[in-house]
Amino acid sequence: MITQEKKKWIYQQLIPFILVFGGLLAGIIFGLWRQHQISIYKRYTIGITIKTYWTISNGKRVDFRYTVKNNAYENEDMYEYECKVPNGRYFVKYDTKDPSISKLIQNEPVPDSIKVSPPDGWKEIPVKYDDQ
């Protein structure tokens, strides 16, 4: 038989711990799954930066928009490499099965010579960058 003291401990400490730990674990697994999807079913398009903002949990973020097969998408990513915001043009790696899953490649700006991307993107980034 469970005593009142054990019940109190379960409700006040064990259940909140399990919920918090389970939520963190679910978030990590979801993030890893998204990265896996992008690495397996990847294509590239052009993204335009919109704005930056700060969050308590994830630091500085950047919003960007891009188009795949005439469908517009908007996403956010970690702000890195001092990218140009707003209206910076950067390559976006996206999942062909679910184009709303994407990553802004901030260390590789789109050259001025490339004006638009094909409707379903490129298989590889169409320019070469130095590995510096």
Side-chain angles (χ1 to χ4, degrees):
M1 174 132 197
I2 298 178
T3 65
Q4 280 297 101
E5 199 170 296
K6 280 191 177 186
K7 281 184 183 180
K8 185 178 178 182
W9 180 83
I10 288 171
Y11 287 119
Q12 290 182 346
Q13 299 203 1
L14 184 60
I15 291 175
F17 172 78
I18 290 171
L19 291 174
V20 169
F21 183 73
L24 289 173
L25 187 60
I28 290 169
I29 290 171
F30 181 70
L32 291 173
W33 174 78
R34 286 174 63 107
Q35 291 303 319
H36 173 74
Q37 290 295 103
I38 289 176
S39 68
I40 299 292
Y41 307 108
K42 66 183 173 200
R43 295 213 41 118
Y44 298 90
T45 190
I46 297 172
I48 308 295
T49 59
I50 302 168
K51 67 178 180 178
T52 60
Y53 58 94
W54 285 91
T55 65
I56 294 172
S57 59
N58 292 323
K60 195 169 185 181
R61 310 292 289 175
V62 60
D63 283 348
F64 60 97
R65 74 173 60 101
Y66 57 100
T67 304
V68 176
K69 295 181 181 176
N70 294 323
N71 293 317
Y73 296 92
E74 209 169 288
N75 208 343
E76 48 93 19
D77 207 343
M78 300 258 325
Y79 178 80
E80 302 169 350
Y81 302 107
E82 300 298 322
C83 73
K84 180 184 172 193
V85 179
N87 299 322
R89 298 176 70 233
Y90 296 91
F91 290 106
V92 173
K93 181 168 45 168
Y94 68 91
D95 177 4
T96 56
K97 292 189 175 212
D98 181 359
S100 68
I101 300 173
S102 64
K103 172 141 185 67
L104 184 66
I105 305 173
Q106 298 171 50
N107 62 333
E108 298 181 358
V110 177
D112 292 337
S113 60
I114 299 175
K115 301 299 180 197
V116 295
S117 64
D120 48 332
W122 294 284
K123 288 184 181 180
E124 295 181 358
I125 292 177
V127 294
K128 298 291 182 208
Y129 288 92
D130 291 338
D131 293 335
Q132 293 179 349

